Amino acid sequence: MKFEKIERLRLRVVFPGNLVANVKAYQTHLLILLALLVGGSFSVSFLQTRWGLKGAYYPNPNWEGEPTLVRIDNHPYLKGDMGPKLLATNVFSVKWSGWLAINQTGVYRFATYSDDGSLVRLNGQDVVNNGGMHGLQRVSREIQLAKGVHPIEIRYLQAGGFSFMQTLWTPPGEAEKPIPAEVLFAKPPARTGMLFRNGLIILSKILHIGWSSLLVGITLIFCRPLLKRHHIFLTPHLFLGIMLLGISAFGVLSGGFTMVNLSRSLFSVQTILRDAFILGGILSLTLGIYLAVRQGLENLFARPHCRIVLLFFLILVLLGIEVYKDYGLAWDEPMQRHGGRVNWEYVTNGNRQLLQDVEKYHGPFWELLLILLEEKLHLKDLRSIYFMRHLVMFLVFALGVFFFYLVCQERFGDWKIGLCGSSLLVLSPRIFADAFYNSKDLPFLAVFIISIYTLLKFLEQKTWERASLHAVACAILITTRIMGILVPCLTVLFIIGEMLFRPSTKAQFKKNLLLLGFYGVGLMGGTILFFPVLWEGPVHHFLQAFAEMKQYPWPGTVFYLGKNIAATNLPWHYIPVWMLISTPILYICGFFVGIVVLVKNFSKDPLGGCQHPKRQQDLIFVLWGFLPMLAVIVLKSVLYDAWRHMFFIYPAFLLIALHGLLAVWNVI
C-alpha cells in the first residue's frame, strides 16, 4: 500500500495529468508571451546590426584616394576571397575606425593575425604593428587601458595572394578572443548611447532566458510519453537533476546566457529551431548517455570475464596518460583549433566570422568540446592547451577501442576474440601515434566504430531507445566529418531491405517504418545541433559541405612513389598502396585470407545468407571498408598526409583480417 502511494506521488509530481490541459487553459497567455519574445528578439537583432566599426575599403594597398566601399562591420575580419568579392581586386586596403568601450581598468592584450600587413592604433598610439608584406603572421602587445571609451583604428593591406585578417584581444582574467561587436562603436557614443547598449545586452539575455524557459516546457511535453515508459526516470529528484543538468549544459554552450546576437539575418524560424534543437538535443543526449552507460555496465558486469577486460582497458588508459606528453604538434593542429574557436565564438557570442571562414564546413563537434574544456579549465598557456587536447583525444580513441571490442564480441561471440581485435587496433603504429595529435581523423575513427556498434544493436532489436542512441551516434559522426553520412545510408539500406525481403506482420512493418522516421528526425536534429553553420540554413550549408568533401580545395602536392603529384590528380592506387606499406604484414595476410573466407560464405547462398544476422554484419563490414575507398577513387577526392583521411575504414580492414586469422587458426 505504501509503495502504491509513492508511485502515484511520483507520477503526479513529475508528470501532472493536467499538463496539456493547463497549456490549453493558458494558451492566450502563452500566445502573448510568444509575441513578446518574437517582437523583442526581432527588435534586438535589428538594432544590433549597427554595432561595430566603420570600414573603408580602398582599391589600393596604401589607403589612398576615395574608398570604393564604406560600411559598418561587426568585426574587423577578412579571409580568402572576401576582399576580392567586395572590391573586384586582390590588391586593396581596409581601414576600420571608431571607438572601443572598456568596462574594466586593467592590462589588455591586442593581437593581429594577418597576411599581409596589419596595424592596431589606440588613442593615437600604435599598439600592434604587424605591417609590411608577409605571410600569415601573428603579432601581439599588452597595453594598460582605463575604463571608458577609446578611439581605435585598425588597418589591413593586401598585396596579392592569400588574404587573412583577424583582430583579437585578451581582457583581464579572460581568454583570447575576437573583439566582440558590443564594445565597438562607429560613432562617438554618448552616455545615453552606452546606457542604451547595456540595456539592450541585458534585454537580449532576458529574451534568451525566456526562450530557453519556453523550450524547456515544450521539451517536457514532447518527452512525456518517452520518459513515462521508463519508470526509473520518474523519481522527482533524478528527473529534476537530469533536467537541470541539461539546462546547465545549455547555459555553458551559450556562454552562461550571454549570447548577445540571437540572429543577424532571418530571426523567427532559425532562432526557434536552433534553441529547440540545442535544448531538446542536450536533454535527449543526457538521457541517452544514461541509458547507454547503464545498459553497457549491466552487460559487462554480468559476465565473469569482466575483470580481464577492465584490466586491459585500464592498462591502455594508463599507458596513454604516461606517454601523451611525448608527442608534438601536427602541422594543421593550430588550424583545427582555430576552426573550433571560430565555431565557439559563433555559438557563444553570435560572431558571424564563422560564415566566411574557410574551415566552416569541417566538422566542429570535437573541436567545440576541446574549446569548451579549454575555456572552463582556464587554460591560456599553449603548451598546457595542447597537452590537454592530446590527452582528451587519446581518451576518445580508447573509447573507440572499447567499442571495437564490443563490435568484435558481437560478431564472433567470444570476448577473447574481442580483446584480440582491440589489441590489433592498438598495436597499429600508424594509428596509435595519431591518436594523440590528430583531432579530426582519429575521433572520426572512434565515433565511426561507435555508430557501427549502435547500428548492429539497432538491427538486432528495433526499439525506440536503440533508434535514439543510433541517431545521436550518427549525428556526432557526421558533425565530426561529413563522410559519416555513410552510416545513415547503411542504416536506411538495411532497414528497408529487411522490410522488403524478410517476412513480417503489418504491425511490425508499420513499427519499423515509424522507427526509421524517428531515427531520421533525430539524426537531422542532432546534426543541426552539433554543426553551428547549419543553423543559418541546414539544407544549403549541408549540400555545400558535402560538395566540399567531394573535392576539397587544397592546391598542394603529395610525394608518392618518388614523385610530387597534385592532390587533385592522385592515381587510383594511392590509398591501397599506402595502406599496404604502413600496415603490419600479419594483418595484411589475415585480410586477404578473410576476403577469401567471406566470398566463400556469401557464394553459398547470396540472398538467403544476407538475411542471417552474422552474414548481415559481415556485409556491413565489407561495405564499411570498400565503399569509401571506391567513392574516393571515383570522385578523385583530394587526399594528403598518406591515408590519414581514410583511417576510419581501418577497423573494417581488421574485422575482415580477424576472419582470416581465425580461419588459419582453425586449420592449424
Side-chain angles (χ1 to χ4, degrees):
M1 180 65 69
K2 185 177 180 181
F3 177 76
E4 292 176 355
K5 289 182 179 179
I6 293 175
E7 281 294 311
R8 286 197 297 271
L9 175 64
R10 287 161 61 183
L11 289 173
R12 190 159 54 248
V13 171
V14 179
F15 299 113
N18 59 351
L19 182 63
V20 178
N22 286 339
V23 172
K24 293 181 178 179
Y26 292 98
Q27 58 184 351
T28 303
H29 301 81
L30 289 174
L31 287 174
I32 294 174
L33 175 62
L34 186 62
L36 289 173
L37 289 173
V38 171
S41 301
F42 182 80
S43 301
V44 169
S45 298
F46 176 76
L47 292 170
Q48 288 173 353
T49 58
R50 306 302 299 169
W51 293 4
L53 299 175
K54 183 175 76 172
Y57 293 75
Y58 300 85
N60 57 74
N62 306 313
W63 306 279
E64 295 177 346
E66 290 295 322
T68 303
L69 173 67
V70 177
R71 66 177 189 177
I72 301 297
D73 287 331
N74 298 128
H75 305 279
Y77 173 79
L78 286 171
K79 186 170 186 179
D81 61 352
M82 294 172 59
K85 281 185 177 180
L86 290 172
L87 300 170
T89 175
N90 199 28
V91 178
F92 60 91
S93 56
V94 189
K95 179 170 66 177
W96 290 281
S97 57
W99 281 260
L100 174 69
I102 298 297
N103 297 322
Q104 176 186 355
T105 299
V107 176
Y108 290 76
R109 174 177 289 276
F110 290 84
T112 63
Y113 196 43
S114 65
D115 175 1
D116 293 292
S118 57
L119 173 75
V120 176
R121 183 174 294 159
L122 270 167
N123 301 320
Q125 172 189 355
D126 290 352
V127 177
V128 177
N129 190 343
N130 193 6
M133 288 178 284
H134 52 73
L136 202 57
Q137 178 175 294
R138 183 183 186 277
V139 175
S140 65
R141 182 185 166 190
E142 291 183 345
I143 183 174
Q144 176 78 25
L145 292 177
K147 181 178 180 180
V149 179
H150 303 263
I152 184 172
E153 182 180 297
I154 301 172
R155 295 194 176 203
Y156 170 68
L157 69 89
Q158 167 63 9
F162 178 74
S163 62
F164 184 85
M165 167 62 185
Q166 185 180 31
T167 309
L168 308 163
W169 79 335
T170 309
E174 299 183 26
E176 186 178 71
K177 58 186 176 182
I179 303 177
E182 60 265 25
V183 301
L184 299 174
F185 294 81
K187 297 180 180 179
R191 179 173 176 81
T192 54
M194 290 287 292
L195 291 174
F196 175 75
R197 182 170 296 202
N198 291 335
L200 203 61
I201 293 173
I202 295 173
L203 177 60
S204 67
K205 296 177 184 178
I206 294 173
L207 289 170
H208 200 72
I209 294 173
W211 278 112
S212 304
S213 303
L214 183 65
L215 289 167
V216 167
I218 294 173
T219 304
L220 291 179
I221 291 173
F222 281 101
C223 288
R224 181 173 182 261
L226 176 63
L227 297 174
K228 193 172 182 178
R229 290 184 59 201
H230 301 283
H231 56 84
I232 189 170
F233 293 117
L234 296 183
T235 55
H237 296 91
L238 180 58
F239 183 74
L240 182 62
I242 292 173
M243 187 181 71
L244 291 177
L245 178 63
I247 296 173
S248 300
F250 177 60
V252 169
L253 286 177
S254 62
F257 296 124
T258 59
M259 188 184 292
V260 176
N261 181 7
L262 295 179
S263 178
R264 295 290 188 191
S265 53
L266 299 176
F267 157 72
S268 55
V269 176
Q270 288 184 2
T271 301
I272 293 173
L273 287 177
R274 181 191 65 195
D275 288 356
F277 281 132
I278 289 176
L279 188 57
I282 289 174
L283 288 172
S284 302
L285 182 61
T286 306
L287 296 174
I289 291 174
Y290 178 84
L291 271 173
V293 172
R294 177 171 169 265
Q295 182 180 359
L297 291 178
E298 285 179 353
N299 292 339
L300 185 61
F301 287 103
R303 297 162 184 169
H305 61 266
C306 64
R307 293 182 181 178
I308 300 176
V309 175
L310 287 176
L311 180 62
F312 174 87
F313 286 100
L314 179 61
I315 293 174
L316 176 62
V317 171
L318 292 177
L319 176 65
I321 294 174
E322 176 65 24
V323 304
Y324 78 95
K325 291 186 178 181
D326 297 334
Y327 290 86
L329 270 67
W331 68 271
D332 62 343
E333 199 170 356
M335 298 169 60
Q336 302 289 357
R337 178 171 171 260
H338 165 76
R341 175 62 64 182
V342 171
N343 278 274
W344 175 264
E345 290 299 327
Y346 176 81
V347 172
T348 57
N349 296 321
N351 188 338
R352 294 172 67 80
Q353 171 186 332
L354 169 69
L355 303 181
Q356 286 82 37
D357 198 276
V358 174
E359 307 290 327
K360 62 179 177 291
Y361 293 135
H362 283 206
F365 181 85
W366 294 106
E367 292 299 333
L368 272 172
L369 175 65
L370 291 169
I371 295 295
L372 172 64
L373 293 174
E374 181 182 324
E375 291 286 329
K376 298 310 170 184
L377 295 175
H378 303 290
L379 300 177
K380 297 181 181 179
D381 175 58
L382 284 177
R383 191 168 183 268
S384 301
I385 289 172
Y386 283 106
F387 277 158
M388 179 274 294
R389 291 171 61 90
H390 291 181
L391 179 59
V392 172
M393 286 300 97
F394 178 79
L395 294 177
V396 172
F397 169 70
L399 181 65
V401 175
F402 174 71
F403 273 90
F404 189 64
Y405 159 79
L406 295 178
V407 170
C408 295
Q409 187 186 46
E410 179 75 17
R411 169 58 187 87
F412 299 102
D414 191 336
W415 66 272
K416 297 176 183 177
I417 299 177
L419 282 185
C420 177
S422 301
S423 301
L424 294 179
L425 181 57
V426 172
L427 296 175
S428 301
R430 189 70 176 87
I431 300 296
F432 186 82
D434 274 57
F436 294 93
Y437 51 76
N438 190 333
S439 62
K440 183 66 66 178
D441 303 302
L442 263 295
F444 186 63
L445 176 148
V447 184
F448 211 105
I449 295 171
I450 295 171
S451 64
I452 289 293
Y453 176 72
T454 58
L455 171 59
L456 298 182
K457 301 304 287 185
F458 183 37
L459 293 175
E460 176 186 70
Q461 185 177 355
K462 298 172 186 64
T463 63
W464 299 101
E465 295 80 12
R466 295 192 179 192
S468 302
L469 293 174
H470 186 47
V472 171
C474 290
I476 296 175
L477 181 69
I478 293 173
T479 54
T480 302
R481 271 183 60 192
I482 199 72
M483 189 67 173
I485 192 69
L486 173 64
V487 178
C489 291
L490 291 177
T491 303
V492 174
L493 175 66
F494 279 88
I495 293 292
I496 293 180
E498 285 191 12
M499 293 167 61
L500 294 178
F501 299 107
R502 184 174 293 179
S504 61
T505 63
K506 186 176 181 180
Q508 289 175 330
F509 185 89
K510 182 179 179 181
K511 181 183 178 182
N512 290 343
L513 194 62
L514 288 173
L515 280 170
L516 189 60
F518 176 74
Y519 162 77
V521 172
L523 173 66
M524 290 187 291
T527 302
I528 296 172
L529 166 66
F530 301 137
F531 213 146
V533 74
L534 299 185
W535 300 354
E536 296 286 333
V539 177
H540 168 74
H541 285 292
F542 186 83
L543 292 177
Q544 290 294 319
F546 192 77
E548 183 178 282
M549 179 273 296
K550 289 193 297 183
Q551 275 295 333
Y552 183 69
W554 190 72
T557 60
V558 297
F559 190 71
Y560 176 65
L561 297 182
K563 299 178 181 179
N564 284 314
I565 304 175
T568 55
N569 192 33
L570 294 175
W572 68 267
H573 47 77
Y574 178 81
I575 291 298
V577 169
W578 261 118
M579 290 186 67
L580 289 175
I581 65 176
S582 58
T583 302
I585 296 177
L586 176 65
Y587 300 6
I588 296 172
C589 295
F591 174 77
F592 284 114
V593 175
I595 290 292
V596 174
V597 171
L598 290 177
V599 170
K600 183 179 178 181
N601 291 339
F602 280 115
S603 62
K604 293 179 180 178
D605 185 10
L607 294 178
C610 290
Q611 296 182 11
H612 189 276
K614 298 301 181 183
R615 297 284 82 79
Q616 191 180 64
Q617 292 173 3
D618 290 338
L619 182 58
I620 290 174
F621 301 152
V622 170
L623 294 176
W624 174 10
F626 286 96
L627 274 184
M629 192 182 303
L630 290 175
V632 166
I633 293 172
V634 171
L635 297 174
K636 293 186 177 296
S637 299
V638 171
L639 301 170
Y640 48 86
D641 288 350
W643 60 289
R644 65 167 188 153
H645 299 98
M646 303 297 291
F647 279 170
F648 68 95
I649 71 173
Y650 187 66
F653 177 94
L654 292 182
L655 285 163
I656 296 173
L658 278 174
H659 274 284
L661 295 175
L662 286 172
V664 173
W665 176 262
N666 290 332
V667 170
I668 294 175

